[in-house]
Amino acid sequence: MIKISNIKLDIDKDINDLKEKAAGHLRISVGEITDFVIVRRSIDARRGRVCFVYSVAATLKSEGAENALLKRNKDKSVSKYNPDIYEIPIPQNKPDKRPVIVGCGPAGLFCAYALAIRGFKPIIIERGKDVDSRTEKVSEFWNGGALDTNCNVSFGEGGAGTFSDGKLNTSIKDKGGRGRFVLDTFVKYGASDEIIYDAKPHIGTDVLKDILKNMREEIISLGGEYLFNTRLDAIMMENSSIKSIRVCDIENNRERIMEAETLVLAIGHSARDTYEMLLNNDVSMKPKAFAVGFRVEHPQEMIDDSQYSHVKDEHLPPAPYKLTFQATNGRSVYSFCMCPGGFVVNASSEEGRIAVNGMSYSKRDGSNANSAIIISVTPDDFEGDDALCGVRFQRKIEEEAYRIGGGKIPQQLYKDYKAGRVSSAYGEFESATKGQRTFGDVSSLFSGDMKEAFIEAMEYFGTRISGFDREDAILSAIESRTSAPVRINRDESFQSNIRGMYPCGEGAGYAGGITSAAMDGLKVAEAIING
């Protein structure tokens, strides 16, 4: 195939127009193209003109015709297209014991999927519920019901990404085609094929739920097994190797021992009790840097106007943004998990503590945009130097946020945050939240230099997106679960210091989103398959 890059097309044009433009770049007729696919699509809104920018791949009638065209070609935007095609390894030998995977977020899901395809019949244990039952639990909580500490926005089928925007972009280089395999798999089980080529692909929590169910059914059909409402409580070892685990059937409060000579820890970034249990069993771990901050809301229309230069067109999706800033005091401040047309959600998982996240549905048709505006923190900011010092840091600010809001999401307008006073009313727009909310003074949550960095960044971001630093921008506290505060050490074989134990995904400190976690799940599956 031949790749043609940087094709600019007006936003109201269709696939036939794109094909004609591609043929024009190649100086051939459209009829000479036998196959045609979009490789990448992005939006260019610079200089007051909004257009789509495409990279495409075309197959000509013969390989000879392609080679001849490439030989005479002088256009730098035209090149040979050889995408990496990912294949799950073929096992030489299958283990006597079925592998056990703890957690069915994207890391655990894709590890289980790859192992199931190769006949390993994995057992997946998940402390939360299946996605439909979990959705009911979360909805009850958002409407004022009790928090279920085992089934919530952080725990349950799909992991923390289930109640999110479902963003699939990643900065990880896709050597070997794992990222493309993840996207293709999502499409196979229900996602739009646009995620394969969009520069900033997303699924949306509503569509993601169906994909999870479809993949679960496939894994089960291949001999895999799901054990929901099942929590890992202890590990048993022999000669520094994993031998079995103790799990708890949460609904019936019954414990049992399971054989587990191969144990994948895809536990997610909020499994703090599991971190403690592992540390007590001398599993090698260390604290790591992460970031904390606020969910910041603006009217989506304001973001669209700024990002699209006031161009309005039905073909344009709600606009995202990505912002970074280095404060004068050295702190890094940046946007994270931006949700166009989304909601701020109560993502708490522990009693007496509150955490927030962002969520969008597939259409992203809500009235507000929100993003985490977060400040980097390192182990130097934490009290102590043990592996769980970052967890204690998170818990402390979550407890204070809970106190400020009386158990509800505490919110403050930006002008009042700077003044250190409780807001009395929203400004020109109201918050879009899932979960109960209240006004409170969250300006005391961070130390002086962190607050200074946040305000300095907000003012700078206002020069990048008009109105970003508006007085009635809404801050919700506290965004504390941006990534794991812990790394569970592993070697080149992907095993921890306990043989047979495979730390995996975001909760183990090796990923930072749905796609990167899924890719890490595939890497761990490969390590298990290759023995």
Side-chain angles (χ1 to χ4, degrees):
M1 298 186 81
I2 298 175
K3 183 179 179 180
I4 309 102
S5 303
N6 201 33
I7 301 176
K8 294 187 177 182
L9 199 67
D10 290 339
I11 55 180
D12 60 344
K13 301 299 183 181
D14 61 18
I15 189 70
N16 293 322
D17 298 302
L18 179 60
K19 197 171 184 179
E20 285 185 8
K21 273 219 166 189
H25 274 268
L26 298 177
R27 298 185 178 182
I28 60 175
S29 67
V30 172
E32 293 179 68
I33 297 175
T34 59
D35 192 21
F36 184 79
V37 295
I38 299 172
V39 176
R40 183 178 174 85
R41 179 180 68 185
S42 60
I43 296 174
D44 186 348
R46 295 171 295 177
R47 294 180 291 277
R49 180 202 174 201
V50 180
C51 64
F52 288 120
V53 181
Y54 289 90
S55 292
V56 301
T59 301
L60 306 189
K61 291 183 176 179
S62 69
E63 186 175 350
E66 289 185 7
N67 291 335
L69 188 152
L70 289 167
K71 188 173 182 178
R72 67 174 184 268
N73 170 65
K74 299 185 184 303
D75 187 343
K76 292 182 179 180
S77 67
V78 176
S79 61
K80 184 72 174 175
Y81 183 56
N82 292 307
D84 288 324
I85 305 299
Y86 175 76
E87 292 186 6
I88 302 168
I90 304 295
Q92 298 301 311
N93 298 291
K94 293 180 183 177
D96 295 330
K97 304 288 194 310
R98 297 167 69 183
V100 177
I101 299 170
V102 185
C104 60
L109 175 65
F110 273 83
C111 184
Y113 181 66
L115 291 174
I117 286 174
R118 290 295 179 246
F120 280 68
K121 300 180 180 179
I123 300 171
I124 305 98
I125 67 172
E126 168 58 56
R127 69 193 298 167
K129 298 179 181 294
D130 66 88
V131 71
D132 287 334
S133 301
R134 180 187 182 194
T135 299
E136 292 179 9
K137 272 283 183 184
V138 169
S139 180
E140 289 173 6
F141 171 59
W142 284 342
N143 288 314
L147 171 68
D148 185 330
T149 57
N150 287 299
C151 185
N152 45 60
V153 172
S154 293
F155 301 138
E157 186 174 17
T162 301
F163 296 95
S164 71
D165 184 67
K167 283 174 286 297
L168 302 175
N169 49 301
T170 177
S171 59
I172 293 177
K173 298 294 184 182
D174 188 24
K175 294 181 180 179
R178 294 184 188 89
R180 176 59 188 262
F181 177 82
V182 170
L183 298 180
D184 285 340
T185 302
F186 280 138
V187 171
K188 179 179 179 179
Y189 292 102
S192 165
D193 61 4
E194 291 184 354
I195 68 170
I196 293 173
Y197 54 79
D198 267 341
K200 296 181 178 179
H202 84 107
I203 294 179
T205 190
D206 47 340
V207 175
L208 190 56
K209 292 173 185 176
D210 289 333
I211 293 171
L212 292 170
K213 290 186 284 188
N214 293 337
M215 290 188 69
R216 185 211 313 156
E217 290 175 2
E218 178 69 7
I219 290 169
I220 292 172
S221 74
L222 293 169
E225 182 179 359
Y226 276 72
L227 300 176
F228 292 112
N229 307 299
T230 303
R231 186 182 62 234
L232 172 66
D233 280 355
I235 58 173
M236 276 71 80
M237 297 170 289
E238 184 178 303
N239 298 323
S240 297
S241 295
I242 191 78
K243 285 300 177 185
S244 60
I245 58 176
R246 187 176 78 242
V247 300
C248 178
D249 177 343
I250 295 167
E251 289 195 333
N252 298 306
N253 195 28
R254 292 177 183 168
E255 293 185 340
R256 69 181 176 109
I257 303 299
M258 292 177 60
E259 291 185 337
E261 293 186 357
T262 301
L263 182 70
V264 178
L265 293 175
I267 57 178
H269 59 41
S270 295
R272 295 165 173 172
D273 52 354
T274 307
Y275 289 146
E276 293 170 358
M277 180 271 290
L278 295 172
L279 189 62
N280 290 335
N281 281 273
D282 297 321
V283 175
S284 178
M285 302 161 63
K286 63 183 178 182
K288 61 178 279 290
F290 56 102
V292 294
F294 303 103
R295 276 281 149 183
V296 180
E297 290 180 87
H298 300 91
Q300 182 63 49
E301 186 177 11
M302 184 200 87
I303 302 299
D304 292 344
D305 284 345
S306 181
Q307 297 295 83
Y308 295 148
S309 304
H310 297 278
V311 172
K312 298 183 185 298
D313 190 282
E314 62 180 8
H315 298 91
L316 289 172
Y321 60 77
K322 183 176 182 179
L323 299 166
T324 61
F325 180 70
Q326 190 76 23
T328 54
N329 61 23
R331 295 276 187 184
S332 295
V333 186
Y334 54 98
S335 62
F336 171 79
C337 188
M338 191 270 158
C339 297
F343 300 85
V344 174
V345 306
N346 189 331
S348 303
S349 62
E350 293 181 326
E351 295 285 359
R353 302 183 178 103
I354 198 159
V356 295
N357 195 6
M359 185 187 88
S360 295
Y361 295 113
S362 57
K363 292 183 178 180
R364 288 177 163 176
D365 55 0
S367 59
N368 288 3
N370 76 72
S371 176
I373 302 299
I374 49 177
I375 309 115
S376 59
V377 291
T378 71
D380 290 338
D381 296 300
F382 312 149
E383 294 180 3
D385 58 3
D386 60 289
L388 300 184
C389 58
V391 171
R392 292 195 300 274
F393 178 89
Q394 287 177 323
R395 280 176 163 165
K396 184 177 179 180
I397 56 175
E398 289 173 12
E399 287 167 5
E400 181 61 12
Y402 185 92
R403 184 196 65 79
I404 291 169
K408 301 177 182 178
I409 298 172
Q411 296 186 324
Q412 192 170 21
L413 301 192
Y414 179 53
K415 65 177 181 180
D416 298 321
Y417 178 84
K418 291 186 290 183
R421 61 174 178 253
V422 178
S423 300
S424 58
Y426 295 116
E428 294 182 5
F429 71 106
E430 288 199 6
S431 178
T433 55
K434 296 286 187 178
Q436 296 180 311
R437 66 200 189 207
T438 188
F439 287 122
D441 183 7
V442 301
S443 64
S444 62
L445 282 172
F446 297 138
S447 59
D449 65 315
M450 291 179 67
K451 182 177 180 180
E452 289 171 7
F454 177 79
I455 293 174
E456 191 179 346
M458 286 290 291
E459 302 299 314
Y460 171 76
F461 294 157
T463 69
R464 312 303 296 169
I465 296 177
S466 179
F468 201 90
D469 57 344
R470 57 190 284 167
E471 290 189 339
D472 64 347
I474 304 166
L475 280 55
S476 295
I478 183 79
E479 178 88 28
S480 54
R481 312 282 183 91
T482 54
S483 66
V486 170
R487 173 163 289 131
I488 306 173
N489 296 318
R490 68 187 187 190
D491 60 18
E492 292 182 356
S493 71
F494 291 85
Q495 297 178 74
S496 75
N497 60 310
I498 308 301
R499 299 288 86 183
M501 180 184 290
Y502 293 81
C504 180
E506 188 165 346
Y510 296 97
I514 292 173
T515 302
S516 60
M519 291 168 69
D520 198 60
L522 292 174
K523 291 177 184 178
V524 169
E526 292 163 26
I528 294 170
I529 291 169
N530 291 328

